[in-house]
Amino acid sequence: MRGSLLYEGKAKKVYTMLGEEFQLILEYKDEATAFNGEKYKMFRGKGRLNNLISSKVFQYLHMKGIQTHFIETLSETEQMVSHTRIIPLEVVVRNVAAGSLSRRLGIEEGTILEPALVEFYYKEDKLQDPLINDEHAAYLTGLSQEDLEGIKQDARSINAHLKSFFDEADLKLIDFKLEFGKLHDGSIVLADEISPDTCRLWDKKTNRKMDKDVFREDIEDLVEIYEAILKRLEAKVHV
Ligand code: C5P
């Protein structure tokens, strides 16, 4: 089914699909990177875990009426998705202060942000994905302010769905990053992945960190934590 390798990112490889112009295959890799690639480690089994977790998240969002690129899970490490042109924006939604927000603005980790904050970052490794405002985003992507406003609204409704989704598994959704892409007909849909690599998740009762911060901050074994997330989702959330 796999055609040629189109692109290799830090966490996934993207292949064309033989005979299917409008579909792609995403293969999740075992590597983890942090701090714009400065920190790197291989975790056997991570690709499988993120593929299965992200598949479940996208299936749930699909059930809630969110338009996404996800079509189906093909294997332990692969998904079939619609071919999109990725918009070079990282859309971050924050329910609780942590990470770069706490470092940059001095807001104590754990402070509740109500309403959630939505931020745009320019997806450009060479510039280390800088924080940008809406006017920069319109200039850099060519999107209209109306489309950017639509993306922000989608991010807020995805946030509401994801909060309930993770709450079922006794996890608090602290923050997360989304990417959007354009389908061949020009419509904008949710793309990329949603996994513990791209979300901060804290245990509801203990506030234990259960996401990529365990690798960033050398707290615990990443694979054990991601395995625990998948187990909770499989036991508690039915899609
Ligand atoms: O590092 P920062 O606090 O800005 O990250 C906010 C959220 O976005 C975190 O959940 C992080 O995992 C995610 N993120 C990501 N990819 C990036 C930057 C941030 O998935 N390049």
Side-chain angles (χ1 to χ4, degrees):
M1 262 173 142
R2 254 195 209 174
S4 52
L5 179 67
L6 257 191
Y7 172 77
E8 178 159 3
K10 289 188 279 247
K12 293 184 290 299
K13 289 181 182 171
V14 182
Y15 293 91
T16 59
M17 230 180 123
L18 289 177
E20 297 287 353
E21 193 185 344
F22 299 127
Q23 288 162 19
L24 296 173
I25 294 176
L26 298 188
E27 184 192 18
Y28 283 70
K29 306 199 297 184
D30 281 344
E31 283 108 298
T33 61
F35 311 117
N36 286 297
E38 270 173 42
K39 188 168 175 172
Y40 168 93
K41 197 171 165 189
M42 181 87 160
F43 289 98
R44 191 169 300 279
K46 171 178 172 285
R48 169 183 167 270
L49 291 164
N50 275 353
N51 178 40
L52 300 181
I53 294 168
S54 192
S55 293
K56 205 164 171 81
V57 174
F58 274 80
Q59 280 158 7
Y60 180 82
L61 290 175
H62 182 75
M63 209 171 73
K64 298 291 174 186
I66 304 288
Q67 305 290 312
T68 82
H69 73 158
F70 181 82
I71 301 173
E72 63 174 320
T73 316
L74 291 176
S75 73
E76 296 260 284
T77 55
E78 295 166 306
Q79 301 177 355
M80 190 200 298
V81 299
S82 300
H83 194 157
T84 61
R85 256 188 315 119
I86 293 289
I87 297 163
L89 283 184
E90 298 198 340
V91 183
V92 169
V93 181
R94 300 180 186 270
N95 295 306
V96 177
S100 72
L101 182 81
S102 295
R103 287 197 298 277
R104 199 176 49 246
L105 301 182
I107 305 172
E108 194 184 344
E109 183 179 272
T111 307
I112 291 170
L113 305 165
E114 178 69 61
L117 304 182
V118 180
E119 302 171 333
F120 287 143
Y121 292 80
Y122 182 35
K123 186 175 154 67
E124 177 53 86
D125 280 344
K126 282 190 299 230
L127 300 173
Q128 304 189 348
D129 304 337
L131 176 69
I132 55 174
N133 70 19
D134 291 19
E135 295 190 18
H136 300 143
Y139 176 79
L140 292 165
T141 62
L143 293 181
S144 63
Q145 283 299 346
E146 196 185 346
D147 279 341
L148 288 169
E149 208 40 58
I151 286 178
K152 277 193 190 171
Q153 275 172 22
D154 287 352
R156 288 191 186 282
S157 79
I158 291 165
N159 183 37
H161 295 309
L162 292 182
K163 279 203 287 189
S164 334
F165 175 84
F166 286 115
D167 184 68
E168 294 284 314
D170 293 325
L171 293 163
K172 274 193 278 194
L173 179 61
I174 305 303
D175 59 28
F176 58 96
K177 184 261 307 180
L178 301 175
E179 293 184 24
F180 292 83
K182 273 192 178 177
L183 292 172
H184 68 279
D185 67 2
S187 56
I188 296 174
V189 298
L190 179 67
D192 197 52
E193 69 176 285
I194 299 179
S195 72
D197 267 13
T198 65
C199 300
R200 285 197 173 89
L201 300 165
W202 294 357
D203 180 83
K204 215 158 74 178
K205 294 193 195 81
T206 63
N207 279 343
R208 176 186 182 196
K209 293 183 177 178
M210 300 189 71
D211 55 63
K212 200 161 95 175
D213 275 350
V214 301
F215 163 63
R216 294 190 187 99
E217 300 173 12
D218 294 314
I219 303 174
E220 278 186 72
D221 180 64
L222 177 142
V223 171
E224 275 174 32
I225 293 289
Y226 286 22
E227 191 81 62
I229 300 269
L230 181 62
K231 278 215 183 95
R232 284 194 196 190
L233 292 174
E234 280 175 344
K236 303 269 181 70
V237 193
H238 303 288
V239 292

